[in-house]
Amino acid sequence: MNIDIDNKIHVKRDIGQTTRMSVRDLNLYYGDFQALRGINLDIPEKSITAIIGPSGCGKSTFLRVFNRMNDLITGVRIEGSVELDSINIYDRNIDVVELRKRVGMVFQKPNPFPMSIFENIAYGPRRHGIKNRIELENIIERSLKQAALWEEVESKFDQSALALSGGQQQRLCIARVLAVEPEVILMDEPCSALDPVATLRIEELMRNLSENYTIVIVTHNMQQAARASDMAAFLMMEDDRAGILVEHGPTAEIFTNPKDKRTEDYITGRFG
């Protein structure tokens, strides 16, 4: 089978075989309700993995597994393992604060703090013990440059972050994550609230960041997944009960020659 899509599929350099995060036999429950069942997935380092699938299949829940954000929800129970560099992040001895420093998250809606641009980015480093003003300024400059925002705000550090445009706010939130030097960046539909121009800037930024960071993104936008990601993982609800991983692999293969007809039907718009 050969599936046509409107936008060219992104073909990136070889990403190698090193696994940064690994999920094995994952089951997740909200009380008695099982939201995810039997998921096995490897996330390659320095790559972009897109999690795709219809609404309600557990994509965002799955994304939050990677930095234990689901711990904040009452009644959540997890079986199986999720490893970061071969260490199970659900081990009882794991420092969750340190984990979320290593595995940062960018949310669907830009959420800058109601404070200055400077204070937004300095917040994380300060919480981790960095107080020296010069060191903070260096971190802020590096983070803003990495987030492709430096030239737009370098003379506006004292300005409220809430005065920035939506696209700028999202790049500021990315810079805020970068300031604590994560290894993995999770993005939960980071472009859903942005216009097409801002969306393309975020996609370009993701590709640049993937040279040094491992990125996992949830997206409903098939064109975005095709343009921006190296790997794709398709989730769906099975019998209206639990989210399952139907298929995963290189994005080019998932979008042009999927092995499972359910993947083909979703990508071509027959359901979802």
Side-chain angles (χ1 to χ4, degrees):
M1 73 190 69
N2 192 5
I3 298 171
D4 293 325
I5 58 173
D6 295 334
N7 298 81
K8 184 178 179 181
I9 293 174
H10 169 53
V11 179
K12 189 173 181 270
R13 72 200 191 290
D14 290 338
I15 58 176
Q17 299 299 316
T18 302
T19 297
R20 176 43 59 97
M21 298 197 76
S22 180
V23 179
R24 290 291 177 269
D25 301 320
L26 176 73
N27 297 296
L28 184 144
Y29 301 83
Y30 291 113
D32 295 329
F33 171 71
Q34 185 167 9
L36 299 171
R37 183 173 68 237
I39 294 181
N40 293 279
L41 180 66
D42 289 333
I43 304 294
E45 72 170 356
K46 296 181 181 179
S47 65
I48 302 172
T49 298
I51 301 172
I52 61 175
S55 297
C57 70
K59 298 185 301 297
S60 293
T61 294
F62 183 42
L63 188 72
R64 293 193 297 267
V65 162
F66 290 106
N67 70 344
R68 294 185 54 169
M69 289 293 289
N70 291 312
D71 289 11
L72 304 175
I73 302 173
T74 302
V76 168
R77 177 167 57 88
I78 287 177
E79 299 171 349
S81 68
V82 180
E83 295 185 348
L84 172 62
D85 296 336
S86 301
I87 297 174
N88 185 6
I89 66 173
Y90 283 88
D91 186 280
R92 67 179 61 187
N93 296 319
I94 289 294
D95 183 336
V96 178
V97 173
E98 178 63 21
L99 170 67
R100 292 178 186 152
K101 177 177 180 291
R102 296 178 65 190
V103 185
M105 176 167 269
V106 177
F107 295 92
Q108 180 175 0
K109 184 179 179 181
N111 61 339
F113 302 143
M115 54 183 67
S116 71
I117 292 169
F118 183 97
E119 293 299 329
N120 261 268
I121 303 176
Y123 182 84
R126 280 187 172 137
R127 288 201 65 186
H128 290 282
I130 297 175
K131 306 297 183 184
N132 181 275
R133 176 79 182 193
I134 294 176
E135 188 174 0
L136 286 171
E137 288 176 350
N138 289 336
I139 290 171
I140 289 167
E141 180 176 351
R142 169 182 57 78
S143 302
L144 287 170
K145 285 180 176 178
Q146 286 181 297
L149 191 58
W150 171 256
E151 293 183 358
E152 297 168 52
V153 302
E154 63 175 312
S155 62
K156 304 176 183 178
F157 278 180
D158 294 331
Q159 176 179 305
S160 170
L162 300 178
L164 298 173
S165 70
Q168 288 174 324
Q169 286 185 14
Q170 193 64 296
R171 280 181 283 144
L172 178 72
C173 293
I174 293 171
R176 194 171 65 198
V177 169
L178 293 171
V180 297
E181 299 184 341
E183 298 160 31
V184 180
I185 302 172
L186 310 176
M187 296 186 172
D188 191 358
E189 296 191 69
C191 303
S192 65
L194 305 182
D195 62 49
V197 173
T199 293
L200 288 174
R201 293 201 68 174
I202 296 293
E203 290 177 9
E204 180 181 7
L205 172 58
M206 286 192 299
R207 289 195 292 269
N208 291 335
L209 290 173
S210 69
E211 298 291 331
N212 297 299
Y213 301 91
T214 300
I215 297 173
V216 186
I217 177 175
V218 164
T219 180
H220 277 106
N221 187 322
M222 292 300 94
Q223 284 72 37
Q224 180 174 80
R227 286 191 301 261
S229 69
D230 305 296
M231 308 291 290
F234 171 53
L235 271 63
M236 65 175 288
M237 290 287 284
E238 186 175 58
D239 301 327
D240 295 325
R241 290 180 294 181
I244 62 168
L245 177 61
V246 175
E247 184 174 355
H248 70 279
T251 298
E253 293 181 15
I254 294 292
F255 276 82
T256 62
N257 191 28
K259 296 180 176 64
D260 193 296
K261 189 176 186 303
R262 293 171 294 180
T263 310
E264 177 188 8
D265 287 347
Y266 179 72
I267 290 172
T268 55
R270 293 192 182 102
F271 80 90

PDB file of all heavy atoms in Angstrom, residues 171-194:
ATOM      1  N   ARG A 171       7.592  29.342  22.631  1.00  0.00           N
ATOM      2  CA  ARG A 171       9.059  29.222  22.551  1.00  0.00           C
ATOM      3  C   ARG A 171       9.710  29.608  23.883  1.00  0.00           C
ATOM      4  O   ARG A 171      10.736  29.040  24.267  1.00  0.00           O
ATOM      5  CB  ARG A 171       9.592  30.076  21.400  1.00  0.00           C
ATOM      6  CG  ARG A 171       9.429  29.390  20.036  1.00  0.00           C
ATOM      7  CD  ARG A 171       9.986  30.222  18.910  1.00  0.00           C
ATOM      8  NE  ARG A 171       9.095  31.305  18.561  1.00  0.00           N
ATOM      9  CZ  ARG A 171       9.475  32.511  18.189  1.00  0.00           C
ATOM     10  NH1 ARG A 171      10.770  32.823  18.154  1.00  0.00           N
ATOM     11  NH2 ARG A 171       8.593  33.436  17.868  1.00  0.00           N
ATOM     12  N   LEU A 172       9.094  30.559  24.606  1.00  0.00           N
ATOM     13  CA  LEU A 172       9.596  30.887  25.939  1.00  0.00           C
ATOM     14  C   LEU A 172       9.459  29.686  26.871  1.00  0.00           C
ATOM     15  O   LEU A 172      10.371  29.390  27.651  1.00  0.00           O
ATOM     16  CB  LEU A 172       8.818  32.077  26.511  1.00  0.00           C
ATOM     17  CG  LEU A 172       9.219  32.489  27.935  1.00  0.00           C
ATOM     18  CD1 LEU A 172      10.589  33.151  27.938  1.00  0.00           C
ATOM     19  CD2 LEU A 172       8.173  33.415  28.548  1.00  0.00           C
ATOM     20  N   CYS A 173       8.334  28.980  26.780  1.00  0.00           N
ATOM     21  CA  CYS A 173       8.148  27.791  27.617  1.00  0.00           C
ATOM     22  C   CYS A 173       9.162  26.706  27.260  1.00  0.00           C
ATOM     23  O   CYS A 173       9.638  25.973  28.138  1.00  0.00           O
ATOM     24  CB  CYS A 173       6.723  27.272  27.467  1.00  0.00           C
ATOM     25  SG  CYS A 173       5.469  28.387  28.152  1.00  0.00           S
ATOM     26  N   ILE A 174       9.503  26.599  25.987  1.00  0.00           N
ATOM     27  CA  ILE A 174      10.545  25.659  25.576  1.00  0.00           C
ATOM     28  C   ILE A 174      11.887  26.094  26.154  1.00  0.00           C
ATOM     29  O   ILE A 174      12.656  25.281  26.673  1.00  0.00           O
ATOM     30  CB  ILE A 174      10.594  25.548  24.040  1.00  0.00           C
ATOM     31  CG1 ILE A 174       9.311  24.881  23.520  1.00  0.00           C
ATOM     32  CG2 ILE A 174      11.823  24.755  23.592  1.00  0.00           C
ATOM     33  CD1 ILE A 174       9.162  24.906  22.012  1.00  0.00           C
ATOM     34  N   ALA A 175      12.174  27.398  26.095  1.00  0.00           N
ATOM     35  CA  ALA A 175      13.418  27.910  26.674  1.00  0.00           C
ATOM     36  C   ALA A 175      13.465  27.646  28.175  1.00  0.00           C
ATOM     37  O   ALA A 175      14.522  27.330  28.731  1.00  0.00           O
ATOM     38  CB  ALA A 175      13.549  29.415  26.397  1.00  0.00           C
ATOM     39  N   ARG A 176      12.332  27.763  28.841  1.00  0.00           N
ATOM     40  CA  ARG A 176      12.263  27.514  30.289  1.00  0.00           C
ATOM     41  C   ARG A 176      12.614  26.060  30.607  1.00  0.00           C
ATOM     42  O   ARG A 176      13.287  25.772  31.598  1.00  0.00           O
ATOM     43  CB  ARG A 176      10.866  27.859  30.794  1.00  0.00           C
ATOM     44  CG  ARG A 176      10.744  27.982  32.302  1.00  0.00           C
ATOM     45  CD  ARG A 176       9.391  28.546  32.681  1.00  0.00           C
ATOM     46  NE  ARG A 176       8.300  27.636  32.325  1.00  0.00           N
ATOM     47  CZ  ARG A 176       7.031  28.013  32.236  1.00  0.00           C
ATOM     48  NH1 ARG A 176       6.690  29.282  32.450  1.00  0.00           N
ATOM     49  NH2 ARG A 176       6.103  27.143  31.920  1.00  0.00           N
ATOM     50  N   VAL A 177      12.171  25.146  29.753  1.00  0.00           N
ATOM     51  CA  VAL A 177      12.533  23.739  29.923  1.00  0.00           C
ATOM     52  C   VAL A 177      14.021  23.541  29.656  1.00  0.00           C
ATOM     53  O   VAL A 177      14.727  22.849  30.405  1.00  0.00           O
ATOM     54  CB  VAL A 177      11.690  22.851  28.985  1.00  0.00           C
ATOM     55  CG1 VAL A 177      12.241  21.423  28.941  1.00  0.00           C
ATOM     56  CG2 VAL A 177      10.230  22.830  29.422  1.00  0.00           C
ATOM     57  N   LEU A 178      14.523  24.163  28.599  1.00  0.00           N
ATOM     58  CA  LEU A 178      15.926  23.999  28.229  1.00  0.00           C
ATOM     59  C   LEU A 178      16.875  24.547  29.296  1.00  0.00           C
ATOM     60  O   LEU A 178      18.011  24.082  29.414  1.00  0.00           O
ATOM     61  CB  LEU A 178      16.198  24.700  26.896  1.00  0.00           C
ATOM     62  CG  LEU A 178      15.518  24.087  25.661  1.00  0.00           C
ATOM     63  CD1 LEU A 178      15.702  25.008  24.459  1.00  0.00           C
ATOM     64  CD2 LEU A 178      16.070  22.703  25.355  1.00  0.00           C
ATOM     65  N   ALA A 179      16.410  25.514  30.068  1.00  0.00           N
ATOM     66  CA  ALA A 179      17.276  26.167  31.055  1.00  0.00           C
ATOM     67  C   ALA A 179      17.780  25.212  32.129  1.00  0.00           C
ATOM     68  O   ALA A 179      18.822  25.459  32.738  1.00  0.00           O
ATOM     69  CB  ALA A 179      16.536  27.339  31.709  1.00  0.00           C
ATOM     70  N   VAL A 180      17.059  24.117  32.379  1.00  0.00           N
ATOM     71  CA  VAL A 180      17.504  23.159  33.397  1.00  0.00           C
ATOM     72  C   VAL A 180      18.233  21.973  32.770  1.00  0.00           C
ATOM     73  O   VAL A 180      18.493  20.970  33.425  1.00  0.00           O
ATOM     74  CB  VAL A 180      16.331  22.674  34.277  1.00  0.00           C
ATOM     75  CG1 VAL A 180      15.744  23.842  35.053  1.00  0.00           C
ATOM     76  CG2 VAL A 180      15.266  21.982  33.443  1.00  0.00           C
ATOM     77  N   GLU A 181      18.565  22.093  31.484  1.00  0.00           N
ATOM     78  CA  GLU A 181      19.380  21.118  30.754  1.00  0.00           C
ATOM     79  C   GLU A 181      18.801  19.707  30.813  1.00  0.00           C
ATOM     80  O   GLU A 181      19.412  18.771  31.343  1.00  0.00           O
ATOM     81  CB  GLU A 181      20.818  21.139  31.270  1.00  0.00           C
ATOM     82  CG  GLU A 181      21.491  22.483  31.093  1.00  0.00           C
ATOM     83  CD  GLU A 181      22.956  22.474  31.519  1.00  0.00           C
ATOM     84  OE1 GLU A 181      23.360  21.563  32.267  1.00  0.00           O
ATOM     85  OE2 GLU A 181      23.679  23.378  31.074  1.00  0.00           O
ATOM     86  N   PRO A 182      17.615  19.523  30.233  1.00  0.00           N
ATOM     87  CA  PRO A 182      17.019  18.184  30.203  1.00  0.00           C
ATOM     88  C   PRO A 182      17.722  17.299  29.178  1.00  0.00           C
ATOM     89  O   PRO A 182      18.526  17.778  28.367  1.00  0.00           O
ATOM     90  CB  PRO A 182      15.579  18.468  29.770  1.00  0.00           C
ATOM     91  CG  PRO A 182      15.724  19.661  28.872  1.00  0.00           C
ATOM     92  CD  PRO A 182      16.796  20.513  29.499  1.00  0.00           C
ATOM     93  N   GLU A 183      17.398  16.032  29.224  1.00  0.00           N
ATOM     94  CA  GLU A 183      17.880  15.099  28.205  1.00  0.00           C
ATOM     95  C   GLU A 183      16.756  14.724  27.249  1.00  0.00           C
ATOM     96  O   GLU A 183      17.000  14.432  26.075  1.00  0.00           O
ATOM     97  CB  GLU A 183      18.430  13.838  28.886  1.00  0.00           C
ATOM     98  CG  GLU A 183      19.611  14.133  29.799  1.00  0.00           C
ATOM     99  CD  GLU A 183      19.837  13.022  30.810  1.00  0.00           C
ATOM    100  OE1 GLU A 183      19.541  11.855  30.480  1.00  0.00           O
ATOM    101  OE2 GLU A 183      20.296  13.318  31.924  1.00  0.00           O
ATOM    102  N   VAL A 184      15.525  14.723  27.771  1.00  0.00           N
ATOM    103  CA  VAL A 184      14.336  14.389  26.990  1.00  0.00           C
ATOM    104  C   VAL A 184      13.337  15.528  27.133  1.00  0.00           C
ATOM    105  O   VAL A 184      13.164  16.071  28.231  1.00  0.00           O
ATOM    106  CB  VAL A 184      13.701  13.067  27.485  1.00  0.00           C
ATOM    107  CG1 VAL A 184      12.454  12.725  26.665  1.00  0.00           C
ATOM    108  CG2 VAL A 184      14.718  11.925  27.435  1.00  0.00           C
ATOM    109  N   ILE A 185      12.680  15.899  26.022  1.00  0.00           N
ATOM    110  CA  ILE A 185      11.652  16.939  26.050  1.00  0.00           C
ATOM    111  C   ILE A 185      10.343  16.341  25.558  1.00  0.00           C
ATOM    112  O   ILE A 185      10.274  15.799  24.449  1.00  0.00           O
ATOM    113  CB  ILE A 185      12.043  18.144  25.165  1.00  0.00           C
ATOM    114  CG1 ILE A 185      13.384  18.732  25.618  1.00  0.00           C
ATOM    115  CG2 ILE A 185      10.959  19.215  25.222  1.00  0.00           C
ATOM    116  CD1 ILE A 185      13.924  19.801  24.691  1.00  0.00           C
ATOM    117  N   LEU A 186       9.314  16.414  26.385  1.00  0.00           N
ATOM    118  CA  LEU A 186       7.978  15.949  26.032  1.00  0.00           C
ATOM    119  C   LEU A 186       7.147  17.144  25.588  1.00  0.00           C
ATOM    120  O   LEU A 186       7.163  18.188  26.240  1.00  0.00           O
ATOM    121  CB  LEU A 186       7.313  15.278  27.235  1.00  0.00           C
ATOM    122  CG  LEU A 186       8.131  14.213  27.975  1.00  0.00           C
ATOM    123  CD1 LEU A 186       7.366  13.720  29.197  1.00  0.00           C
ATOM    124  CD2 LEU A 186       8.503  13.057  27.058  1.00  0.00           C
ATOM    125  N   MET A 187       6.402  16.989  24.498  1.00  0.00           N
ATOM    126  CA  MET A 187       5.577  18.077  23.985  1.00  0.00           C
ATOM    127  C   MET A 187       4.168  17.556  23.719  1.00  0.00           C
ATOM    128  O   MET A 187       3.971  16.664  22.895  1.00  0.00           O
ATOM    129  CB  MET A 187       6.176  18.650  22.699  1.00  0.00           C
ATOM    130  CG  MET A 187       7.535  19.289  22.880  1.00  0.00           C
ATOM    131  SD  MET A 187       8.106  20.107  21.356  1.00  0.00           S
ATOM    132  CE  MET A 187       9.573  20.957  21.954  1.00  0.00           C
ATOM    133  N   ASP A 188       3.208  18.110  24.446  1.00  0.00           N
ATOM    134  CA  ASP A 188       1.817  17.667  24.329  1.00  0.00           C
ATOM    135  C   ASP A 188       1.051  18.628  23.432  1.00  0.00           C
ATOM    136  O   ASP A 188       0.586  19.673  23.874  1.00  0.00           O
ATOM    137  CB  ASP A 188       1.181  17.585  25.715  1.00  0.00           C
ATOM    138  CG  ASP A 188      -0.168  16.878  25.698  1.00  0.00           C
ATOM    139  OD1 ASP A 188      -0.618  16.493  24.602  1.00  0.00           O
ATOM    140  OD2 ASP A 188      -0.762  16.707  26.773  1.00  0.00           O
ATOM    141  N   GLU A 189       0.950  18.292  22.151  1.00  0.00           N
ATOM    142  CA  GLU A 189       0.284  19.139  21.157  1.00  0.00           C
ATOM    143  C   GLU A 189       0.731  20.598  21.276  1.00  0.00           C
ATOM    144  O   GLU A 189      -0.104  21.500  21.474  1.00  0.00           O
ATOM    145  CB  GLU A 189      -1.228  19.039  21.298  1.00  0.00           C
ATOM    146  CG  GLU A 189      -1.773  17.645  21.006  1.00  0.00           C
ATOM    147  CD  GLU A 189      -3.277  17.630  20.889  1.00  0.00           C
ATOM    148  OE1 GLU A 189      -3.785  18.199  19.906  1.00  0.00           O
ATOM    149  OE2 GLU A 189      -3.931  17.068  21.782  1.00  0.00           O
ATOM    150  N   PRO A 190       2.012  20.877  21.154  1.00  0.00           N
ATOM    151  CA  PRO A 190       2.528  22.219  21.437  1.00  0.00           C
ATOM    152  C   PRO A 190       2.098  23.270  20.433  1.00  0.00           C
ATOM    153  O   PRO A 190       2.277  24.456  20.690  1.00  0.00           O
ATOM    154  CB  PRO A 190       4.048  22.013  21.382  1.00  0.00           C
ATOM    155  CG  PRO A 190       4.238  20.877  20.426  1.00  0.00           C
ATOM    156  CD  PRO A 190       3.081  19.959  20.707  1.00  0.00           C
ATOM    157  N   CYS A 191       1.523  22.860  19.304  1.00  0.00           N
ATOM    158  CA  CYS A 191       1.150  23.843  18.274  1.00  0.00           C
ATOM    159  C   CYS A 191      -0.358  23.980  18.111  1.00  0.00           C
ATOM    160  O   CYS A 191      -0.810  24.734  17.241  1.00  0.00           O
ATOM    161  CB  CYS A 191       1.763  23.443  16.930  1.00  0.00           C
ATOM    162  SG  CYS A 191       3.555  23.267  16.953  1.00  0.00           S
ATOM    163  N   SER A 192      -1.135  23.304  18.930  1.00  0.00           N
ATOM    164  CA  SER A 192      -2.586  23.282  18.706  1.00  0.00           C
ATOM    165  C   SER A 192      -3.224  24.653  18.873  1.00  0.00           C
ATOM    166  O   SER A 192      -4.274  24.927  18.283  1.00  0.00           O
ATOM    167  CB  SER A 192      -3.248  22.280  19.651  1.00  0.00           C
ATOM    168  OG  SER A 192      -3.115  22.685  20.995  1.00  0.00           O
ATOM    169  N   ALA A 193      -2.598  25.534  19.672  1.00  0.00           N
ATOM    170  CA  ALA A 193      -3.170  26.861  19.904  1.00  0.00           C
ATOM    171  C   ALA A 193      -2.501  27.941  19.051  1.00  0.00           C
ATOM    172  O   ALA A 193      -2.764  29.125  19.241  1.00  0.00           O
ATOM    173  CB  ALA A 193      -3.043  27.231  21.381  1.00  0.00           C
ATOM    174  N   LEU A 194      -1.653  27.519  18.086  1.00  0.00           N
ATOM    175  CA  LEU A 194      -0.856  28.477  17.325  1.00  0.00           C
ATOM    176  C   LEU A 194      -1.317  28.571  15.879  1.00  0.00           C
ATOM    177  O   LEU A 194      -1.907  27.638  15.334  1.00  0.00           O
ATOM    178  CB  LEU A 194       0.623  28.061  17.364  1.00  0.00           C
ATOM    179  CG  LEU A 194       1.245  27.865  18.748  1.00  0.00           C
ATOM    180  CD1 LEU A 194       2.708  27.503  18.610  1.00  0.00           C
ATOM    181  CD2 LEU A 194       1.067  29.112  19.613  1.00  0.00           C
TER     182      LEU A 194
END
